[in-house]
Amino acid sequence: MRKPSITTRLALGFALVALVVFSLIGGGLYAALQRDLLRQQDDVLNTAANDVQYSLSHIGSTGHWARLRAKLDTLTSSDSSLSFWVISPDPRFAYGAAPPPEAAMRPGYGHLPRPDREYPMRTLTREIGPIEERPRVKLIVGLESAPYFHTLHTFLSALAGLLLLSVLLIALLSRWLTRTGLRPLLRLSDQAQQLSPRNLSQRLHTESLPIELADLALAFNGALNRLESAYKQLEAFNADVAHELRTPLTNLIGHTQVALSRRRGAGELEEVLQSNLEDLDQLRAIVNDMLFLARADQGEAASGLVRTVLAAEVGKTIEFFEFVLDDLGLAIEIDGDIAAQASINTAQFRRAMTNLLQNAIQHTQGAARIDVHIRQAGDLVQIHVSNPGKAIEPRHLPRLFDRFYRVDSARRDSGETHGHGLGLAIVKAVANMHGGGVFARSEAGVTTIGFSVRA
């Protein structure tokens, strides 16, 4: 089942709010009118009762009773909308065709039901003390309430009609206003539907959008920027992977074809197999590195952590380069917080250090010294590897840790452990798996590349 649109939801919401508010207002007006009409009835009854009570209080003989009867006849309406009763144990001092029921004779206000009328009569009963020959009597004044009930019913009908009409009008106006207000969103949706991989640089226009939608469009454009960057990196990555795999595969095919072109001796075949083994080993290294990076991208954290002194692990890694350092006339020194400790996966840590040191050795010019600086920074321990050499332009520094990224031909093998452009990418993966990060800078003829791990 298709859900209603935002326009319909808002229109119904506004209509519901209007219905509740108008109902509360209408209920208050109805109650106020009802109290006012009841007060008017009571005022009429009080006025009539006061007039008759004054005359009745001064009449105590049958001789004067005839004048009171004539007055009551005059005050009684022809349509019986205003009626009077005088209830007395002495028939000579009684008035009214038929006495009201006992309930209407109780002092105060009340209602007198009548079988021939739709609405009861509003009554006011008072007791008047005896005087001369007249005993204690009850004066009952009755007022027809039908006009007041008709007024209430007319008001209620008009109120209900206006309420429904107002709610319907508000719903229609709300729908129109909502559709008008959502037009920028519809235009934004149309622009979004026109986006395609063929035009990655296309962005949503934010100039004519309201503030709320402008923020949304800017956030969406930011996501498109990141998506375009990731898409381009993926394209370059695929091309680089194909390039890196093509070289050893081409060598394998070429060597094998040459070996099969004519009969070979055992020595020649052994030489071909040895060459093929080297290329296969390179392919295996690329695949293993790619699998490691894939696990890191999926958020895999380092396991098998051991609390250790990082300077000691760096020293063990340097030992693998002793012969290379001697041949090149290079030296590596460790300084800084050499007592700093961290919980690390030692194999992964040494792998990252090997990549950094290999990178530094390859790009150090002449006989020089490579510095490894360890620094405790809050809850992180940073390992800096600095080497003198050709400067790297600032625009390249943020991308040194991208897979297969090349600065230029002079640094084609930058950061490569196996010569395929994944060395620094693996350093970044190791740092991320240990809760740290990477950094790089190149200034004053010294390039510093390093990573950090959580202490």
Side-chain angles (χ1 to χ4, degrees):
M1 183 179 179
R2 188 176 182 182
K3 294 184 178 180
S5 63
I6 295 179
T7 301
T8 302
R9 292 181 183 181
L10 290 177
L12 292 177
F14 286 136
L16 180 61
V17 171
L19 178 63
V20 173
V21 173
F22 289 163
S23 297
L24 293 175
I25 295 175
L29 292 176
Y30 182 83
L33 178 62
Q34 189 178 33
R35 289 194 301 269
D36 189 64
L37 291 177
L38 186 61
R39 181 184 57 78
Q40 291 182 19
Q41 295 179 67
D42 294 345
D43 288 345
V44 173
L45 289 174
N46 265 314
T47 301
N50 291 336
D51 186 17
V52 175
Q53 182 178 355
Y54 178 80
S55 300
L56 189 58
S57 300
H58 293 80
I59 294 177
S61 62
T62 56
H64 296 91
W65 187 257
R67 287 185 296 173
L68 179 62
R69 183 183 296 274
K71 181 177 181 178
L72 293 175
D73 290 340
T74 302
L75 293 176
T76 301
S77 303
S78 58
D79 57 357
S80 300
S81 60
L82 184 64
S83 302
F84 298 90
W85 290 271
V86 178
I87 308 302
S88 172
D90 188 346
R92 297 177 302 167
F93 295 96
Y95 181 82
E102 185 64 26
M105 296 184 184
R106 297 171 185 170
Y109 296 101
H111 289 90
L112 177 61
R114 292 180 296 173
D116 57 335
R117 300 293 177 92
E118 181 180 1
Y119 302 102
M121 178 176 282
R122 179 75 169 167
T123 61
L124 174 60
T125 302
R126 292 181 180 177
E127 290 187 355
I128 302 174
I131 182 175
E132 299 178 3
E133 300 177 15
R134 178 182 60 73
R136 177 180 295 275
V137 297
K138 288 184 178 181
L139 172 63
I140 302 176
V141 183
L143 179 65
E144 181 65 52
S145 60
Y148 300 94
F149 280 103
H150 290 157
T151 300
L152 279 177
H153 291 167
T154 302
F155 175 78
L156 184 60
S157 300
L159 184 64
L162 289 174
L163 176 63
L164 294 178
L165 182 61
S166 300
V167 170
L168 179 60
L169 183 61
I170 287 176
L172 294 176
L173 289 176
S174 300
R175 183 176 178 83
W176 176 77
L177 287 174
T178 304
R179 287 177 63 88
T180 302
L182 290 179
R183 282 177 185 171
L185 183 59
L186 295 177
R187 291 196 298 268
L188 204 62
S189 178
D190 293 338
Q191 294 180 36
Q193 291 178 358
Q194 296 173 5
L195 298 174
S196 69
R198 298 179 180 178
N199 187 9
L200 294 175
S201 61
Q202 185 176 357
R203 297 293 181 268
L204 301 179
H205 302 295
T206 60
E207 295 79 9
S208 59
L209 293 177
I211 297 176
E212 298 81 2
L213 292 182
D215 293 340
L216 176 62
L218 289 174
F220 190 77
N221 285 340
L224 290 178
N225 290 334
R226 294 188 293 271
L227 182 62
E228 180 184 8
S229 177
Y231 192 84
K232 290 181 177 179
Q233 289 183 9
L234 181 61
E235 287 183 333
F237 172 72
N238 291 334
D240 289 333
V241 169
H243 174 75
E244 295 295 337
L245 294 178
R246 182 178 60 184
T247 300
L249 286 174
T250 301
N251 293 337
L252 283 170
I253 295 173
H255 294 163
T256 305
Q257 287 176 341
V258 171
L260 295 175
S261 63
R262 61 184 177 85
R263 284 186 173 275
R264 303 284 180 177
E268 292 177 314
L269 291 177
E270 183 179 353
E271 184 179 349
V272 171
L273 290 177
Q274 183 65 36
S275 177
N276 287 352
L277 182 60
E278 293 177 0
D279 290 329
L280 288 172
D281 189 58
Q282 184 179 359
L283 286 174
R284 182 184 64 178
I286 295 176
V287 172
N288 288 339
D289 287 346
M290 293 302 301
L291 290 176
F292 177 77
L293 293 174
R295 293 196 303 270
D297 288 343
Q298 293 174 359
E300 180 177 322
S303 58
L305 302 181
V306 177
R307 190 73 178 177
T308 185
V309 178
L310 297 185
E313 292 299 324
V314 174
K316 294 177 182 179
T317 307
I318 295 175
E319 291 178 0
F320 289 102
F321 294 94
E322 287 184 355
F323 295 106
V324 176
L325 296 173
D326 291 340
D327 292 340
L328 298 177
L330 300 176
I332 300 179
E333 292 189 6
I334 305 174
D335 61 6
D337 300 328
I338 57 176
Q341 297 183 11
S343 298
I344 59 173
N345 180 303
T346 55
Q348 293 177 358
F349 181 85
R350 292 180 187 178
R351 186 178 186 182
M353 283 304 307
T354 299
N355 291 354
L356 287 178
L357 293 175
Q358 178 71 24
N359 178 74
I361 292 171
Q362 288 178 347
H363 300 98
T364 299
Q365 297 178 344
R369 187 186 69 186
I370 299 174
D371 293 320
V372 178
H373 181 75
I374 301 174
R375 185 169 72 93
Q376 180 93 30
D379 61 343
L380 295 177
V381 180
Q382 298 178 347
I383 300 92
H384 304 245
V385 177
S386 303
N387 67 280
K390 183 179 179 181
I392 302 176
E393 296 182 16
R395 62 188 178 90
H396 294 300
L397 293 175
R399 301 197 58 190
L400 287 180
F401 300 93
D402 292 349
R403 302 170 194 179
F404 302 113
Y405 183 74
R406 313 291 187 185
V407 175
D408 52 34
S409 59
R411 295 184 64 94
R412 182 171 179 79
D413 295 327
S414 176
E416 295 177 7
T417 303
H418 303 291
H420 49 261
L422 294 177
L424 292 184
I426 291 175
V427 173
K428 181 178 180 181
V430 171
N432 291 338
M433 295 172 72
H434 285 80
V438 293
F439 47 87
R441 62 178 179 270
S442 183
E443 53 191 15
V446 176
T447 298
T448 300
I449 301 176
F451 70 106
S452 61
V453 296
R454 189 170 297 277

